[in-house]
Amino acid sequence: MKIRTFGRHIKESFKSLGRNGWMTFASVSAVTVTLLLVGVFVMIMMNLNKVADDLENDVEIKVFVSLDAEEENIAELEEEISGLEGVESADFSTKEEELTDLVLDFGEELSLFEQSNPLFDVFYVKAIEPQQTEAVAKEISALEYIEDVEYGEGKIEKLFNFLNAGRNVGLVLILALLFTAMFLISNTIRITIVARRTEIEIMKLVGATNWFVRVPFILEGMWLGILGSIIPIGLVVLLYQKITEFAQPRLSGELFQLLEFSPFIYQVSALILAMGVFIGIWGSFMSIRKFLRV
């Protein structure tokens, strides 16, 4: 396609936006509302996914060492645990260190320092993949000099199932919103094309190729998508800025954190713009297709 011809198509696409002012407004409004919903939902889901990852990565196995284990037994046990498939780390804590932590948590009124230490030496074990926690715990429990293994059995499986279900539901909802946006813009552009059906048929009869007819409408759809993404991007940026300003100081030092404002918000903005362009082009392409048969 020649540059001059492409320039003509660009001019025609802009003229069409102006000639069909109300339809342009309807299309841009439909894209704006849908992309705003998608943007907010993506922002929420990405942060929930971050929280889920933080929770998963905090899961660990607490391994209690038998009281009759000697130092050399504990050293061998540490090597065995660290060598198991799926184990990322195994940190040893003596029963004295456990007692100190317990007193720090609950206060010296426990007066355990005046008694013989009843606690166990323990290993804190992390799996490479959080979903491997149960399998790793079962392997460790079969080793010698293991008194007990705790990892939240039953609860941890429910947590992982809940987090996976949340991710899947979020993905389905985002896809549903995208298809809704494509359907809306396709319908609004189709109405515009129906009004110009005679023009399209004349162009075809005088020898215009399908692409010559199609390109202005595709460009028009792209402009609609870009225009429809401006307001959602601005509102999402402003909303997330306010959320991070409010939440980050309050979540400092907590188990989970929100995604940093930068580069996350720029990634979401680029995604919204890309989705606007895509649904605009796709909606135009699908709408014009049936009118190219004369």
Side-chain angles (χ1 to χ4, degrees):
M1 183 181 294
K2 295 181 180 179
I3 295 177
R4 183 185 301 175
T5 304
F6 188 71
R8 175 193 176 280
H9 289 325
I10 293 176
K11 290 179 182 177
E12 284 298 315
S13 65
F14 280 120
K15 286 180 181 178
S16 178
L17 291 177
R19 281 196 305 264
N20 303 281
W22 282 109
M23 293 310 303
T24 298
F25 177 76
S27 298
V28 170
S29 299
V31 176
T32 297
V33 172
T34 310
L35 287 182
L36 180 59
L37 291 173
V38 171
V40 171
F41 202 78
V42 167
M43 184 175 67
I44 293 171
M45 287 307 302
M46 291 296 288
N47 274 284
L48 288 179
N49 194 57
K50 169 72 164 52
V51 170
D53 287 340
D54 289 343
L55 291 174
E56 287 180 341
N57 292 329
D58 193 62
V59 172
E60 62 183 6
I61 305 165
K62 190 173 184 178
V63 181
F64 296 88
V65 181
S66 297
L67 294 175
D68 57 349
E70 302 294 337
E71 287 188 14
E72 57 270 20
N73 302 133
I74 294 175
E76 291 174 2
L77 187 58
E78 184 171 8
E79 288 185 12
E80 287 185 273
I81 293 174
S82 299
L84 291 175
E85 185 178 354
V87 171
E88 180 181 30
S89 63
D91 299 321
F92 179 68
S93 177
T94 65
K95 59 184 181 180
E96 288 77 17
E97 291 171 330
E98 290 295 294
L99 180 59
T100 301
D101 291 340
L102 191 65
V103 170
L104 288 175
D105 288 338
F106 294 99
E108 294 194 20
E109 61 271 12
L110 294 174
S111 66
L112 290 173
F113 282 117
E114 299 175 5
Q115 308 171 20
S116 60
N117 189 340
L119 302 179
F120 292 88
D121 294 326
V122 299
F123 286 100
Y124 292 96
V125 181
K126 277 186 174 289
I128 296 174
E129 294 293 335
Q131 287 75 14
Q132 294 178 304
T133 300
E134 181 181 6
V136 170
K138 288 180 178 178
E139 287 190 67
I140 293 174
S141 63
L143 298 176
E144 192 176 3
Y145 296 111
I146 298 298
E147 181 70 25
D148 192 17
V149 175
E150 291 182 357
Y151 66 97
E153 184 176 4
K155 295 179 181 179
I156 199 67
E157 291 87 353
K158 291 179 180 178
L159 173 64
F160 289 151
N161 290 336
F162 175 77
L163 294 177
N164 289 331
R167 291 186 178 108
N168 293 334
V169 169
L171 179 61
V172 169
L173 289 176
I174 290 173
L175 291 175
L177 286 171
L178 284 177
F179 279 114
T180 300
M182 288 188 285
F183 175 77
L184 288 172
I185 195 170
S186 177
N187 279 346
T188 50
I189 292 174
R190 184 178 288 115
I191 295 171
T192 302
I193 293 171
V194 168
R196 298 164 62 186
R197 185 171 184 174
T198 302
E199 176 188 341
I200 295 170
E201 290 176 350
I202 292 172
M203 291 172 67
K204 287 290 293 177
L205 288 171
V206 298
T209 64
N210 285 347
W211 274 107
F212 188 88
V213 177
R214 183 182 286 137
V215 169
F217 289 100
I218 291 177
L219 289 173
E220 187 177 336
M222 184 178 72
W223 305 138
L224 292 174
I226 292 173
L227 290 172
S229 66
I230 294 174
I231 293 177
I233 288 174
L235 291 178
V236 166
V237 169
L238 181 62
L239 176 62
Y240 197 65
Q241 182 180 24
K242 296 299 182 183
I243 290 174
T244 51
E245 289 175 355
F246 174 80
Q248 291 290 31
R250 291 165 175 78
L251 293 176
S252 179
E254 296 296 329
L255 175 61
F256 57 86
Q257 299 288 324
L258 296 179
L259 289 164
E260 293 290 335
F261 182 82
S262 176
F264 170 66
I265 200 62
Y266 301 114
Q267 295 168 345
V268 173
S269 299
L271 179 63
I272 292 173
L273 179 61
M275 287 189 297
V277 171
F278 173 76
I279 63 178
I281 292 175
W282 183 90
S284 297
F285 185 86
M286 297 304 294
S287 298
I288 189 66
R289 190 172 58 174
K290 66 178 292 186
F291 295 104
L292 294 179
R293 304 184 187 94
V294 178

